[in-house]
Amino acid sequence: MRKKIIAGNWKMNKTIEEAVELANSIKLDLADCKEVDVVLCPPFTALKSVSDVVSETLIAVGSQNMSSEDEGAYTGEISHTMLKELFVRYVILGHSERRQYYKENDFWVNKKVIKALEKNLRPILCVGETLEEREAGDTEKVVEVQVREGLKDVSADAYTELVVAYEPVWAIGTGKTASAEQAQEVHAFIRGIIKDMVGEEAANAVRIQYGGSMKPANAAELLSQPDIDGGLIGGAALDATSFVSIVKAAL
Ligand code: 13P
């Protein structure tokens, strides 16, 4: 049985003060939540403060990106050492916003995934098709390339650590959610690719989250699908009540 994982991707939102307030509100309800893995991914500037807020709870902290390099002349980047110093456990990698606006590609995303695993950070690898790709009937082709390339050279035993997030780009921040059937279909497809890559045991162990306008009203139905193991939440994660109720839908 895979434990569900609900992560809040706060994107470029929240000052330190606002982040602390949100984390404190979430902590009131979820500090001891054992049944679901709860992860908060604030912007870099608030990682330390949010880590401090949740330090004695079961809530984990994640970052929204990480460099594939260890240290050195990489202006604007952040390393695994720096993140671990702030008690970061998860790293979101290859988010569609990074692919779309900052031209991140599968090669670099894969290097980051490998680096994160090597340094005992848990990657959340994001994949997903655009509206044009879906309408052209290319969803499976696009997702397959992102999964195969993003997880290239990852050993079978690492699949208990890593998380894949299926985030159809057309559903992100648009209010349009993939239907439970549409999402389940792609999740099962992703699990099938992983089975083909590294075998059934790893495919059964890996957690695959759905992301894209997940909210309290649709979370329960999405999370009841056999291959949907959690959610990566954007907008609804910025409000403690909504985020907590999504976590409760995963119980
Ligand atoms: P929304 O929940 O705002 O659609 O964002 C999803 C997302 O991109 C999470 O990473």
Side-chain angles (χ1 to χ4, degrees), residues 90 117 122 155-163 201-202 205-207:
Y90 291 83
L117 288 167
R122 297 177 154 184
S155 65
D157 56 3
Y159 281 76
T160 50
E161 299 303 306
L162 72 87
V163 177
E201 198 179 324
V206 69
R207 293 184 291 180

Side-chain angles (χ1 to χ4, degrees), residues 43-45 47 63-86 91-94 98-99 101-105 107-109 111-113 115-116:
F44 292 139
T45 47
L47 281 171
S63 70
Q64 299 172 22
N65 193 11
M66 185 199 82
S67 170
S68 57
E69 307 307 311
D70 291 322
E71 62 178 345
Y74 301 100
T75 302
E77 291 293 305
I78 190 154
S79 75
H80 54 85
T81 314
M82 296 165 183
L83 295 175
K84 286 173 78 172
E85 215 177 11
L86 305 179
V91 286
I92 298 173
L93 297 174
R98 297 216 55 83
R99 295 178 190 258
Y101 306 136
Y102 305 103
K103 304 290 170 252
E104 276 197 22
N105 61 25
F107 173 82
W108 288 104
V109 172
K111 280 187 69 143
K112 293 176 180 195
V113 168
K115 180 61 75 179

Side-chain angles (χ1 to χ4, degrees), residues 9 11 92 95 97 167 171-174 211-214 232-236:
N9 175 7
K11 307 191 179 183
I92 298 173
H95 192 281
E97 287 149 15
E167 299 205 305
I172 295 177
T174 57
S213 299
M214 196 190 258
L232 183 55
I233 323 297

Side-chain angles (χ1 to χ4, degrees), residues 18 46 69 148 168 205 227 230:
E18 290 163 348
E69 307 307 311
R148 286 193 186 272
D227 288 293

Side-chain angles (χ1 to χ4, degrees), residues 14-230:
K14 305 289 177 191
T15 61
I16 294 175
E17 195 181 333
E18 290 163 348
V20 166
E21 190 186 330
L22 177 56
N24 268 316
S25 306
I26 291 169
K27 177 172 130 171
L28 284 179
D29 280 290
L30 301 177
D32 302 319
C33 180
K34 289 184 201 61
E35 299 83 0
V36 176
D37 284 337
V38 177
V39 186
L40 307 183
C41 306
F44 292 139
T45 47
L47 281 171
K48 166 88 172 76
S49 310
V50 170
S51 279
D52 288 345
V53 170
V54 301
S55 65
E56 291 187 354
T57 73
L58 295 175
I59 300 170
V61 174
S63 70
Q64 299 172 22
N65 193 11
M66 185 199 82
S67 170
S68 57
E69 307 307 311
D70 291 322
E71 62 178 345
Y74 301 100
T75 302
E77 291 293 305
I78 190 154
S79 75
H80 54 85
T81 314
M82 296 165 183
L83 295 175
K84 286 173 78 172
E85 215 177 11
L86 305 179
F87 304 100
V88 166
R89 299 278 316 283
Y90 291 83
V91 286
I92 298 173
L93 297 174
H95 192 281
S96 62
E97 287 149 15
R98 297 216 55 83
R99 295 178 190 258
Q100 201 179 338
Y101 306 136
Y102 305 103
K103 304 290 170 252
E104 276 197 22
N105 61 25
D106 291 324
F107 173 82
W108 288 104
V109 172
N110 176 245
K111 280 187 69 143
K112 293 176 180 195
V113 168
I114 301 276
K115 180 61 75 179
L117 288 167
E118 188 187 304
K119 301 298 174 185
N120 292 319
L121 286 161
R122 297 177 154 184
I124 299 179
L125 168 68
C126 302
V127 300
E129 81 287 1
T130 62
L131 185 60
E132 298 73 59
E133 289 162 344
R134 175 163 281 263
E135 285 177 345
D138 288 339
T139 298
E140 292 197 345
K141 195 168 88 189
V142 169
V143 169
E144 176 157 10
V145 169
Q146 290 174 339
V147 170
R148 286 193 186 272
E149 295 295 312
L151 297 176
K152 198 169 155 211
D153 299 329
V154 170
S155 65
D157 56 3
Y159 281 76
T160 50
E161 299 303 306
L162 72 87
V163 177
V164 176
Y166 169 57
E167 299 205 305
V169 178
W170 48 273
I172 295 177
T174 57
K176 280 189 209 157
T177 322
S179 68
E181 296 71 33
Q182 280 174 324
Q184 164 58 26
E185 196 181 330
V186 182
H187 281 236
F189 176 71
I190 292 171
R191 206 176 295 289
I193 298 166
I194 293 172
K195 181 176 167 193
D196 184 56
M197 288 170 72
V198 284
E200 190 157 16
E201 198 179 324
N204 286 337
V206 69
R207 293 184 291 180
I208 308 176
Q209 295 176 304
Y210 170 79
S213 299
M214 196 190 258
K215 45 187 180 269
N218 58 29
E221 197 193 353
L222 285 158
L223 292 167
S224 68
Q225 300 299 310
D227 288 293
I228 300 185
D229 307 312

